[in-house]
């Protein structure tokens, strides 16, 4: 949905819908949900085929999988499942957010934005209603209790509204900041929070991979229960799907909060043993007593916080007595991490609740990032960017907003080749024929004698001779001087005999 009008100009009305806009809205509503449902159907059918099971419960399994992707709690038999893998959810929401990002422009009107949000919610809600009806019917065939309708719709609206909001906000971030009149330290803090969260995710993923290699033997033990190749593939896919959950748990452990697995728990200063799910991804969880060197891992979030403070010092006007961008960055990063951690945890049958202790995690996270960020701000002010040398807000806009002015899709639609093609500025417009017709040719002047200098002025010695002189070349070593406004003119009276001879020639 491309728009080249200013933000103040609105469409004819909210109910106006052009064919082009309808096509874009259809893609926003249907494409991510259709791809996700198709992948679910394929996985369910392959799983049932590999297990040698019948197709009686296929519809119920597809409906339950769609609800599980949206983190809707399910009850199968007497087992409550509230801990679902985050990777499918992240892929679906990422695709939905990207569709919304591409459906708007920085100058889209409120009407267009409203249509995009409505389409982003309409498609998933429709499929959710169908899946709830299918799950209700399938409860007579499989041990699947119908989920709570209000909870199901609430989770779908929450997730897809968040994805659409992130996509639209990223596309229109400059306009959003201008409308909110956000101070520059708020903008710098938000960008810094995103960088800090990515750093923590990267460090936690690296620690998880190292732990995998350290417990390679335990991973092999979990694969022995697979039975055959299909079981091996299933355990591998299940582990990959739960990998973001494990990485978020590793973030909590690195910050010193600890992670719980029912009765079992793990932290940098102690480990409480207990049963854990027998999947390969859980083999990375240490089961022995805590080692003394584990406390050194606290340097990882400290380093991430220091880098965040340095970023705030370079991109804002924070002072040591007013570190507002640093505190904003720490608070926004903590809010994002708590939200992701809440999605990564949940009930897992007989194991109990799996996840982080959210209140402790929030306090520890903000404390680490704020204190370490202030240290980074001090370093930035004394060694990198003093207060007088801080960068303006436009500098960090340029780092993140390159697609605002250079987005290929937006520019191609507005400044296409059809608009500035050769047909518009071709040789036919400035060709010799055009100018030859506009400037009368030499035959006309010579034959008629109307403007022939030789026949018109040569007979009169008192006639005024004139010559067209090209403009002199401009100087390259001195600036061009502005010509004076006074124009010198001289009136020359012609000879009466000259006028008489001219009349006879006519």
């Amino acid at each position: 949905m491309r728009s080249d009008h200013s933000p103040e100009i609105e469409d004819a009305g909210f109910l106006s819908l052009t064919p082009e806009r309808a096509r874009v809205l259809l893609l926003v509503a249907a494409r991510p949900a259709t791809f996700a449902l198709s992948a679910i159907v394929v996985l369910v059918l392959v799983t049932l085929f590999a297990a040698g099971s019948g197709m009686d419960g296929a519809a119920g399994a597809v409906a339950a999988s769609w609800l599980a992707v949206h983190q809707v709690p399910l009850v199968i038999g007497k087992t409550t499942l509230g801990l679902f893998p985050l990777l499918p959810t992240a892929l679906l929401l990422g695709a939905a957010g990207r569709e919304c990002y591409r459906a708007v422009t920085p100058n889209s009107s409120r009407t267009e934005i409203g249509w995009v949000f409505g389409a982003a919610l309409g498609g998933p809600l429709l499929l959710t209603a169908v899946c709830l009806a299918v799950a209700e019917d399938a409860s007579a065939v499989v041990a699947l209790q119908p989920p709570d309708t209000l909870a199901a719709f609430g989770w779908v609206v929450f997730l897809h509204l968040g994805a659409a909001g992130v996509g639209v906000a990223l596309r229109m971030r400059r306009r959003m900041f201008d409308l909110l009149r956000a101070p520059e330290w708020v903008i710098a803090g938000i960008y810094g929070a995103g960088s800090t969260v990515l750093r923590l995710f990267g460090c936690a993923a690296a620690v998880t991979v190292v732990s995998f290699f350290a417990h390679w033997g335990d991973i092999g033990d979990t694969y022995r229960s697979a039975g055959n190749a299909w079981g091996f593939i299933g355990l591998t896919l299940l582990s990959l799907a739960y990998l973001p959950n494990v990485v978020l748990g590793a973030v909590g452990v690195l910050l010193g909060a600890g992670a719980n697995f029912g009765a079992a728990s793990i932290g940098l200063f102690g480990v409480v043993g207990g049963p854990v799910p027998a999947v390969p991804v859980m083999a990375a969880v240490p089961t022995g007593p805590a080692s003394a060197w584990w406390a050194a891992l606290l340097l990882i979030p400290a380093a991430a916080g220091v880098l965040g403070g340095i970023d705030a010092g370079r991109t804002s006007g924070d002072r040591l007595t007013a570190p507002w961008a640093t505190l904003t960055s720490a608070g926004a990063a903590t809010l994002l991490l708590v939200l992701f951690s809440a999605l990564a945890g949940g009930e897992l049958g007989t194991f109990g609740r799996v996840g982080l202790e959210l209140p402790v995690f929030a306090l520890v996270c903000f404390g680490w990032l704020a204190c370490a960020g202030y240290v980074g701000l001090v370093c930035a002010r004394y060694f990198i960017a003093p207060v007088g040398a801080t960068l303006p807000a436009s500098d960090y806009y340029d780092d993140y907003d390159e697609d605002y002015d250079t987005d290929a899709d937006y520019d191609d639609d507005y400044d296409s080749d059809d608009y500035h093609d050769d047909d518009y500025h071709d040789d036919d417009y400035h060709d010799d024929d055009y100018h030859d017709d506009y400037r009368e040719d030499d035959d006309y002047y010579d034959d008629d004698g109307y403007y022939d200098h030789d026949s018109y002025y040569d007979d009169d010695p008192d006639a005024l001779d004139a010559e067209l002189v090209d403009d002199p070349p401009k100087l390259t070593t001195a600036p061009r001087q502005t010509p004076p406004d006074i124009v010198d003119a001289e009136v020359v009276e012609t000879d009466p005999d000259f006028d008489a001879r001219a009349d006879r020639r006519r």
Side-chain angles (χ1 to χ4, degrees), residues 40-52:
I40 289 173
V41 171
V42 171
L43 289 176
V44 168
L45 294 179
V46 170
T47 302
L48 294 178
F49 174 77

Side-chain angles (χ1 to χ4, degrees), residues 120-284:
L121 293 177
L125 287 176
L126 178 61
L127 288 180
T128 301
V130 174
C131 289
L132 287 174
V134 172
E136 181 76 23
D137 295 336
S139 60
V141 180
V142 296
L144 174 64
Q145 297 186 14
D148 186 7
T149 303
L150 183 60
F153 283 119
W155 274 104
V156 172
V157 170
F158 170 72
L159 294 177
H160 285 273
L161 186 63
V166 170
V168 173
L170 287 176
R171 186 63 163 171
M172 307 179 65
R173 49 191 174 273
R174 282 191 176 182
R175 178 180 170 188
M176 181 182 66
F177 289 143
D178 292 340
L179 291 177
L180 296 177
R181 301 181 182 274
E184 56 88 18
W185 54 266
V186 172
I187 303 174
I190 292 175
Y191 281 120
S195 300
T196 301
V197 170
L198 292 179
R199 292 188 186 106
L200 288 175
F201 281 167
C203 294
V207 171
T208 303
V209 172
V210 171
S211 182
F212 276 142
F213 284 106
H215 299 83
W216 190 259
D218 297 335
I219 295 177
D221 294 338
T222 57
Y223 274 114
R224 290 191 181 95
S225 61
N228 53 23
W230 289 109
F232 179 87
I233 295 174
L235 286 177
T236 301
L237 294 178
L238 186 64
S239 298
L240 291 176
Y242 274 103
L243 186 59
N245 303 64
V246 176
V247 171
L248 281 167
V251 171
V253 173
L254 291 177
L255 288 169
N260 297 326
F261 302 92
S265 64
I266 179 176
L268 294 180
F269 305 101
V271 176
V272 177
V276 295
V279 291
V281 72
M282 296 302 296

